[in-house]
Amino acid sequence: MVLHLRWTTSIGAALAVVLALVSSAASAGPTLDRIKSRGVIKVGVGTTPGYFAPDSNGRWQGFFVDFGRALAVTVFGDPDKVQFTSSSPQQRLPALQSGEFDVLLSGVTVTITRAFKLGFHFGPTIFYDGQGILVRKDLGVTSASQLDGATIGIQSGTTGELNIADYFRKHRHKFTPVTIEDTSEFIAALDSGRVDGLTQDASDLAAKQTQLKKPSDYVILPERLSKEPLAPAVAGGDDRWLEIVTWTVNATIQAEEWGITSKNVDDFLKSDDPSIRRFLGVDPSLAESIGLDPKWAYTIIKTVGNYGEIFDRHLKPLGWERGYNRLWTQGGLLYSPPFR
């Protein structure tokens, strides 16, 4: 009888520990608590048309902006419960550390120092990019290797400062760096002839080229000086918030892989595929087990769209090709872990 009681007590204690762990995993963390208390997600963004910029009515639009709206759907079921604030490359990381933003969707490059030294956590890569150089055509160069002695504009507070220095050092060439903080001055420096070229993520340069007085007078050189995986950044210490950011992005990628779009998502509610039924909340078991609304992924796709729709809506008009940002099934790098 004593042995039976001890065994029962041990089982009861073990069960209590398991339930405590499950409860802890499903509960909101400090960031999520603040978000739900204020009723809006605070997102730090930049100011590059196509990626993040207010329209004529003051409403933010762009590739990264749509992922902020998708996050608002996951948390609140409403794509408009999000507040976008422009932040410069110099200000954005300190602002995230201080709690001014809940997440950065400003084209932040994942780096080991930002993870270890600054303590940031990153969601999935949203955009695979690489640093390029934009120059005036009248320089007569077709390769970055021909820029020995050039004057290059660099935006401070970015990974570009070290990358361009490494490139010229590696090729034993010299250059004159001109560090510029203000984005509008960055473009004006090239337009005015103050610098021979600008270096930044190639995607950013493609957008900036359209803002020059005569875009056709300039060209982005073919070299990519670095790998620039751009991902949502959050402050460390809130695993629940990180997972919400991560799986919100994954949902847009997985939907594209399945061929689910904002236009046909209702048709997929009739699917016999168990995975799709769980994903869209027809079978609510998956969402309920992780503490999310059963329709969270459905609502993201219905209101914001899948990854391909987001890309085509904002970046295709800039002439930007998918490239590495294609699905893994199409030769790209986009890949979502299983929704199970």
Side-chain angles (χ1 to χ4, degrees):
M1 184 68 175
V2 173
L3 289 175
H4 176 70
L5 287 174
R6 286 178 178 172
W7 180 79
T8 303
T9 302
S10 298
I11 292 295
L15 181 60
V17 170
V18 171
L19 290 175
L21 289 172
V22 171
S23 175
S24 174
S27 65
T31 305
L32 203 53
D33 282 338
R34 288 197 304 270
I35 290 170
K36 289 187 174 181
S37 177
R38 80 167 81 96
V40 67
I41 301 172
K42 291 186 176 182
V43 179
V45 293
T47 51
T48 302
Y51 297 89
F52 19 56
D55 61 19
S56 59
N57 297 316
R59 180 176 170 80
W60 282 87
Q61 304 288 350
F63 176 77
F64 288 101
V65 166
D66 274 356
F67 286 98
R69 293 206 170 97
L71 274 174
V73 169
T74 303
V75 176
F76 296 111
D78 184 345
D80 292 324
K81 289 196 172 183
V82 57
Q83 176 184 315
F84 298 100
T85 302
S86 174
S87 185
S88 71
Q90 304 81 25
Q91 298 168 337
R92 60 189 182 181
L93 295 178
L96 180 60
Q97 281 181 318
S98 67
E100 183 178 338
F101 301 129
D102 302 312
V103 59
L104 281 180
L105 283 167
S106 55
V108 182
T109 301
V110 181
T111 71
I112 191 170
T113 53
R114 287 173 175 173
F116 278 82
K117 189 175 180 180
L118 300 180
F120 294 128
H121 290 172
F122 296 93
T125 297
I126 293 180
F127 193 87
Y128 290 93
D129 207 350
Q131 185 171 332
I133 302 176
L134 175 67
V135 299
R136 301 195 315 272
K137 285 183 179 178
D138 61 17
L139 285 180
V141 302
T142 57
S143 170
S145 63
Q146 298 171 322
L147 289 174
D148 192 12
T151 300
I152 306 294
I154 307 165
Q155 194 150 25
S156 61
T158 69
T159 55
E161 293 181 88
L162 180 60
N163 291 338
I164 190 70
D166 283 350
Y167 177 82
F168 275 90
R169 188 179 299 115
K170 177 182 177 181
H171 290 274
R172 299 181 181 180
H173 289 167
K174 294 181 179 180
F175 79 110
T176 301
V178 176
T179 304
I180 303 168
E181 291 193 10
D182 186 80
T183 299
S184 60
E185 290 182 15
F186 191 61
I187 300 170
L190 185 59
D191 243 340
S192 66
R194 179 185 171 194
V195 298
D196 298 313
L198 300 176
T199 187
Q200 185 58 283
D201 292 351
S203 59
D204 190 52
L205 291 179
K208 283 182 169 55
Q209 184 175 359
T210 65
Q211 298 173 294
L212 292 164
K213 293 177 182 177
K214 294 184 178 180
S216 60
D217 287 350
Y218 302 86
V219 63
I220 298 175
L221 298 177
E223 291 89 350
R224 293 297 174 263
L225 314 187
S226 65
K227 292 184 293 184
E228 302 292 332
L230 310 182
V234 301
D238 193 336
D239 292 345
R240 178 68 173 174
W241 177 231
L242 176 62
E243 294 301 338
I244 284 176
V245 171
T246 296
W247 287 96
T248 294
V249 174
N250 287 339
T252 68
I253 297 170
Q254 184 60 67
E256 184 181 10
E257 182 176 336
W258 275 329
I260 305 174
T261 70
S262 58
K263 295 180 175 60
N264 66 19
V265 64
D266 288 324
D267 294 334
F268 275 87
L269 295 176
K270 306 167 188 175
S271 173
D272 294 327
D273 187 325
S275 297
I276 292 176
R277 291 174 65 84
R278 289 191 295 267
F279 179 74
L280 295 178
V282 178
D283 173 357
S285 60
L286 175 62
E288 290 174 349
S289 70
I290 58 177
L292 295 180
D293 182 275
K295 291 290 186 181
W296 71 279
Y298 165 85
T299 308
I300 287 174
I301 307 310
K302 184 72 173 179
T303 60
V304 181
N306 67 31
Y307 183 96
E309 289 180 285
I310 296 170
F311 188 103
D312 289 349
R313 181 161 57 241
H314 299 294
L315 303 187
K316 198 171 183 180
L318 296 178
W320 196 258
E321 298 294 333
R322 287 281 297 261
Y324 289 130
N325 297 295
R326 295 191 298 265
L327 294 174
W328 68 285
T329 54
Q330 300 168 359
L333 297 177
L334 289 186
Y335 183 102
S336 172
F339 276 77
R340 63 177 60 166

